[in-house]
């Protein structure tokens, strides 16, 4: 069929195309998807008119970035292509804001301080930390790395401290030798998942000489030391780092180099 006729069908008879596509989805999926796209689009338009973003704005942008990227909002969902376009716009706006990572790291720091003052318990704090960690690992930026690294000292309550000759300090509501990750462990896992091309080693050595290879996120605490060592090398000027799909190279202060894009023949 000639291309001009295909285009004409797509333009002149959208109801036929829509009918074929929508038959694969329930009415609830269609209505909720339409509402989500409408609300998200209106929100992004409104944000573009503002000179600065509030904490609430950052939270809403992060919800779009965390929930509607290609890895979460699959291609077989209703109007997936449009939702992915909204995701990229939201991510650009979020990462363009100077305080995008600090906002979420500050929430975690406040929760940790409450734990240290016995003002909250560990199960509740752990659940509250989950969301800002998810936001940070969904924002591949220099600021996000800096803020995640700043959380790597929050490991005093980790059950595995004994493997490194350290004491476990229990928070309120925490059972000794519980298997949950510390805040530092969550941050280390997020650093592995944020998209750093040349991050810390995925092999660590315990005091016993035993080696452990990272297999999944819950092992993040064992690799906190690897990330601290990696970051010290960045600070000392021994290495730089980058992100997948980003031509820039970074040190602890910011951009240090732009990699040349290979020219197409």
């Amino acid at each position: 069929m000639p291309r001009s006729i295909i285009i004409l069908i797509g333009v002149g008879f959208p109801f036929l195309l829509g009918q074929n596509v929508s038959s694969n989805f329930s009415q609830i999926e269609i209505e909720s998807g339409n509402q989500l796209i409408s609300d998200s689009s209106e929100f992004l338009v409104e944000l573009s008119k503002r000179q600065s973003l509030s904490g609430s704005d950052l939270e809403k942008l992060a919800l779009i970035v965390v929930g509607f990227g290609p890895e979460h909002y699959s291609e077989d969902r209703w109007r997936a292509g449009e939702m992915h376009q909204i995701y990229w716009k939201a991510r650009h706006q979020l990462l363009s804001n100077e305080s995008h990572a600090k906002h979420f790291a500050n929430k975690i720091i406040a929760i940790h301080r409450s734990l240290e003052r016995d003002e909250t318990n560990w199960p509740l704090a752990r659940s509250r930390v989950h969301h800002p960690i998810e936001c940070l690992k969904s924002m591949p930026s220099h600021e996000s790395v800096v803020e995640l690294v700043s959380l790597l000292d929050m490991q005093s309550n980790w059950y595995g401290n004994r493997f490194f000759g350290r004491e476990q300090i229990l928070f309120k509501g925490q059972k000794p030798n519980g298997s949950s990750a510390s805040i530092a462990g969550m941050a280390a896992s997020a650093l592995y998942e944020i998209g750093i091309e040349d991050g810390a080693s995925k092999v660590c050595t315990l005091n016993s000489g035993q080696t452990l290879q990272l297999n999944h996120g819950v092992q993040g605490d064992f690799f906190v030391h690897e990330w601290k060592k990696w970051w010290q090398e960045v600070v000392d000027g021994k290495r730089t780092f980058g992100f997948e799909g980003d031509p820039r190279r970074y040190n602890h202060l910011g951009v240090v180099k732009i990699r040349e894009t290979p020219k197409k023949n």
Side-chain angles (χ1 to χ4, degrees):
M1 181 182 293
R3 185 171 180 273
S4 58
I5 296 179
I6 296 174
I7 294 174
L8 182 61
I9 290 177
V11 175
F13 300 94
F15 65 93
L16 290 177
L17 182 61
Q19 188 177 25
N20 291 336
V21 173
S22 63
S23 64
N24 298 324
F25 301 91
S26 69
Q27 190 61 32
I28 293 177
E29 288 175 316
I30 293 172
E31 290 176 357
S32 63
N34 289 343
Q35 190 64 54
L36 177 64
I37 289 173
S38 176
D39 292 344
S40 300
S41 298
E42 289 178 9
F43 171 64
L44 292 180
V45 170
E46 182 61 31
L47 279 194
S48 66
K49 301 175 184 177
R50 303 179 191 175
Q51 293 183 342
S52 61
L53 303 186
S54 66
S56 176
D57 293 333
L58 294 176
E59 294 281 352
K60 291 178 182 177
L61 281 172
L63 283 175
I64 296 174
V65 171
V66 169
F68 299 107
E71 68 275 22
H72 297 296
Y73 200 87
S74 59
E75 291 289 348
D76 60 354
R77 299 280 293 277
W78 173 248
R79 297 176 70 180
E82 292 166 89
M83 198 65 244
H84 293 162
Q85 289 179 11
I86 290 172
Y87 158 80
W88 286 109
K89 290 178 182 178
R91 192 173 105 154
H92 175 74
Q93 282 195 287
L94 185 60
L95 297 187
S96 298
N97 189 281
E98 190 174 341
S99 63
H100 64 272
K102 184 172 289 294
H103 170 81
F104 295 99
N106 284 344
K107 292 168 75 75
I108 296 171
I109 291 169
I111 293 168
H112 187 253
R113 288 174 179 167
S114 294
L115 280 166
E116 293 183 315
R117 294 192 295 260
D118 280 345
E119 295 172 352
T120 188
N121 62 64
W122 175 238
L124 177 60
R126 187 177 60 197
S127 66
R128 290 174 58 203
V129 166
H130 176 76
H131 174 67
I133 286 285
E134 285 294 306
C135 293
L136 286 169
K137 79 177 187 183
S138 299
M139 301 186 292
S141 71
H142 178 269
E143 184 182 322
S144 294
V145 171
V146 170
E147 296 301 334
L148 283 168
V149 167
S150 75
L151 306 177
L152 293 178
D153 287 325
M154 299 179 182
Q155 198 181 27
S156 62
N157 69 315
W158 178 45
Y159 78 95
N161 277 332
R162 66 181 184 272
F163 293 109
F164 295 93
R166 303 188 297 254
E167 180 185 3
Q168 180 189 19
I169 307 299
L170 295 177
F171 290 133
K172 183 190 296 184
Q174 182 180 7
K175 296 179 180 180
N177 300 322
S179 60
S180 64
S182 70
I183 292 175
M186 297 179 202
S189 295
L191 284 165
Y192 280 116
E193 296 176 49
I194 200 173
I196 298 174
E197 289 182 322
D198 39 14
S201 170
K202 292 187 177 182
V203 178
C204 73
T205 304
L206 307 182
N207 283 0
S208 63
Q210 177 186 359
T211 59
L212 181 68
Q213 184 164 354
L214 180 70
N215 293 318
H216 45 76
V218 297
Q219 292 182 340
D221 267 292
F222 285 98
F223 296 86
V224 166
H225 176 71
E226 295 301 320
W227 278 108
K228 285 184 174 182
K229 183 171 68 174
W230 176 86
W231 185 246
Q232 191 59 53
E233 290 175 355
V234 173
V235 172
D236 293 342
K238 296 179 180 178
R239 66 157 71 225
T240 60
F241 67 95
F243 297 99
E244 298 165 6
D246 183 350
R248 294 165 292 189
R249 299 292 297 179
Y250 302 88
N251 65 9
H252 62 299
L253 298 176
V255 179
V256 291
K257 182 181 179 181
I258 307 293
R259 290 174 292 189
E260 292 185 7
T261 304
K263 296 182 179 179
K264 295 181 180 180
N265 296 328

